[in-house]
Amino acid sequence: MPESSANLPSPEDVFRVRGGEPLRGTVHLSGAKNSALKLMAASLLCEGEVDLSYIPRIGDVPVMADVLRGLGVEVELDLAREHGRFRAVDEPSWHAPADAVTRIRASISCLGPLVGRTGRARLALPGGDRIGARSIDLHLQGLAAMGATIIQRTEEVEVIAKELTGAMITLDFPSVGATENLVMAATRARGTTVLDNAAREPEIQDLCRMLVAMGATIEGIGSPTLEIEGVDGLGSVTWETCPDRIEAGTYAVAAALTGGDVVIERVRPADLTMPLIKLRAAGVVVDEGADSLRVKAGDLQAVDVVTLPYPGFPTDLQPQMMVLLTRAMGTSRCTENVFESRFSFVAELARMGADVEIDGHHAWIRGPVRMHGTTLSGLDVRAGAAGTLAGLVADGETIVRDVHHVDRGYADFIPRLQSLGADVERVSDADA
Ligand code: UD1
């Protein structure tokens, strides 16, 4: 099976966007980035084979595959077919390779399964988007409550637990990463772990359901209280990664923003309840199918958006929504409660002519304004996507730099936008 990371586009490229075209047509989406990476990490717990489909063709996937290979997992990845096989039949190594780990935030998801399987883990502190402090204290406190010893060094963390024991854990905040790590560790702990104030994002539900299919016992999936009964081992599984609700929301915003009419396929509308409430309140017309959405432009009105853990409005859709609100009549307020640095994108938007005022974790967006093309930086995966969307409605040409962030999280972003009629292309930096 070919290793397809070589087919991923060059990180040195830029996006050239010319505004004005309404998006029209149908787009078929990928599996969720934030699920696939964790399902891959869960293979560390599996004494057989994890056979995964709908793995998105994104830059983070081959990096995660390298992290797993470095831990001794046999990986066959065929990104062209969105498929992979992961085998950790023998006990994996407990010391992850620092170079791959520091390139990808999701590598922290190896911590829980490694400690669960081998009783020990050493991991360099992970990389990923620079959108806030992104501490891992909740992950470590939870593992300590299960009996692990934590050794923190400047650039790495080591966790040692001869045997994890079930514990009552209440998270300070429903952290996605901490919930996933603690659930995975708890599947191999002795006794029952109750994890309260747990995050319940659809991607976490996907992970929990796959673990159950591997033989784990987890009650309360989708609720804030998870009860995990430790088992002696987890076996082989064949699993489909759940659809990417953030990718779906990004194309929904793009359709509405450009005055278009787009059908988005392979979506679970129920995972997008709050974004759809907000889009409709902003005047966007959304028809829901069983696994599709049709999104049409309407007269855009101001709306207030507050980011919160699921089922609240996702922080990963906030920059895209803010771009939409620059075109809405009136003043909208956006409140960011999850990542303190997520508003750094606003400076880029302001350079395009957006009227946004920030006060702490609130942003006021006055619209409608006509933005103008400029050169901007995609500071993180979602900011890069949002900057591209802004370019779709800006006068003239927009150049989006640092698109390696977008590549980390969006499969075939430019081809998919082109297929919907957008005037966008990927060019090498020298040609821009
Ligand atoms: C995941 C997603 C990311 C999404 C985020 C929130 C992946 C790979 N990434 O990130 O796309 O934006 O959920 O939906 O799945 N925190 C602490 N201590 C901890 C853990 C978290 O203070 O131990 C803080 C973080 O700094 C952040 C907030 O809690 O401010 C949310 O973090 P968390 O929910 O853990 O997000 P991630 O798992 O990092």
Side-chain angles (χ1 to χ4, degrees):
M1 194 183 285
E3 166 60 78
S4 317
S5 60
N7 298 336
L8 290 168
S10 162
E12 307 304 326
D13 294 348
V14 302
F15 297 160
R16 180 153 58 199
V17 191
R18 295 187 187 91
E21 297 299 329
L23 301 194
R24 291 188 197 286
T26 299
V27 63
H28 188 84
L29 299 188
S30 304
K33 160 184 177 284
N34 288 349
S35 187
L37 298 170
K38 322 306 171 62
L39 300 176
M40 289 169 71
S43 68
L44 288 164
L45 284 165
C46 177
E47 280 146 32
E49 177 177 280
V50 173
D51 182 312
L52 264 189
S53 50
Y54 289 102
I55 301 178
R57 270 188 292 276
I58 56 171
D60 273 3
V61 164
V63 183
M64 188 62 158
D66 284 345
V67 172
L68 293 173
R69 283 193 190 99
L71 289 164
V73 181
E74 276 177 50
V75 179
E76 292 173 31
L77 186 60
D78 184 356
L79 276 187
R81 288 179 47 235
E82 302 184 311
H83 180 255
R85 290 201 183 101
F86 306 87
R87 272 184 298 272
V89 178
D90 300 324
E91 191 168 287
S93 150
W94 55 274
H95 186 179
D99 49 341
V101 167
T102 48
R103 284 168 56 203
I104 174 180
R105 169 80 189 169
S107 53
I108 191 66
S109 310
C110 295
L111 194 62
L114 267 187
V115 181
R117 177 90 182 263
T118 72
R120 194 163 187 186
R122 192 196 292 167
L123 221 63
L125 292 170
D129 290 333
R130 289 197 196 88
I131 49 175
R134 307 197 82 162
S135 154
I136 55 163
D137 54 339
L138 303 177
H139 306 231
L140 301 179
Q141 282 165 19
L143 291 170
M146 284 193 254
T149 302
I150 315 288
I151 305 164
Q152 271 185 282
R153 305 189 184 93
T154 321
E155 293 192 340
E156 64 175 20
V157 63
E158 189 167 333
V159 180
I160 305 164
K162 257 202 150 110
E163 186 183 50
L164 290 171
T165 44
M168 292 282 301
I169 301 168
T170 302
L171 293 177
D172 279 5
F173 175 90
S175 152
V176 169
T179 301
E180 291 166 340
N181 254 332
L182 297 176
V183 167
M184 287 194 275
T187 61
R188 294 299 303 273
R190 185 164 46 83
T192 305
T193 299
V194 177
L195 187 59
D196 206 4
N197 201 22
R200 46 191 165 137
E201 271 64 5
E203 297 77 25
I204 297 173
Q205 299 179 34
D206 201 30
L207 171 66
C208 288
R209 291 198 175 97
M210 186 179 90
L211 291 168
V212 168
M214 289 162 70
T217 307
I218 307 175
E219 299 290 335
I221 297 173
S223 84
T225 308
L226 294 168
E227 196 171 316
I228 307 110
E229 181 85 44
V231 292
D232 288 336
L234 296 173
S236 298
V237 69
T238 298
W239 198 254
E240 283 185 7
T241 311
C242 72
D244 197 316
R245 68 198 161 99
I246 304 300
E247 190 185 22
T250 303
Y251 286 99
V253 167
L257 179 69
T258 58
D261 182 351
V262 171
V263 175
I264 305 168
E265 290 183 336
R266 195 164 192 265
V267 189
R268 288 199 306 222
D271 292 348
L272 281 151
T273 300
M274 184 57 76
L276 296 185
I277 287 173
K278 291 297 171 181
L279 285 172
R280 287 184 173 121
V284 179
V285 181
V286 185
D287 297 330
E288 292 177 36
D291 58 2
S292 67
L293 292 174
R294 181 174 180 182
V295 182
K296 286 183 276 189
D299 288 333
L300 293 176
Q301 303 296 324
V303 70
D304 292 344
V305 172
V306 179
T307 70
L308 282 171
Y310 187 84
F313 192 91
T315 177
D316 285 353
L317 270 180
Q318 182 256 98
Q320 301 89 314
M321 191 68 185
M322 201 184 282
V323 172
L324 183 77
L325 297 176
T326 65
R327 306 287 285 184
M329 177 66 70
T331 301
S332 304
R333 191 185 61 190
C334 229
T335 303
E336 174 59 51
N337 288 315
V338 182
F339 286 114
E340 64 271 28
S341 311
R342 194 130 235 180
F343 284 155
S344 35
F345 161 69
V346 169
E348 304 294 294
L349 213 50
R351 290 198 299 109
M352 298 180 79
D355 183 354
V356 185
E357 194 184 315
I358 294 181
D359 181 6
H361 67 139
H362 301 294
W364 279 267
I365 305 110
R366 280 179 285 270
V369 293
R370 272 198 89 81
M371 291 186 282
H372 49 80
T374 185
T375 297
L376 53 88
S377 173
L379 298 163
D380 66 61
V381 48
R382 307 304 167 189
T388 309
L389 299 197
L392 293 177
V393 287
D395 290 331
E397 188 174 279
T398 299
I399 300 291
V400 183
R401 293 195 188 281
D402 297 319
V403 302
H404 54 98
H405 289 298
V406 180
D407 294 337
R408 288 185 34 231
Y410 285 89
D412 306 327
F413 191 51
I414 292 302
R416 282 178 183 169
L417 286 173
Q418 285 169 337
S419 76
L420 295 172
D423 189 350
V424 290
E425 58 187 332
R426 184 179 187 111
V427 291
S428 83
D429 201 359
D431 300 333

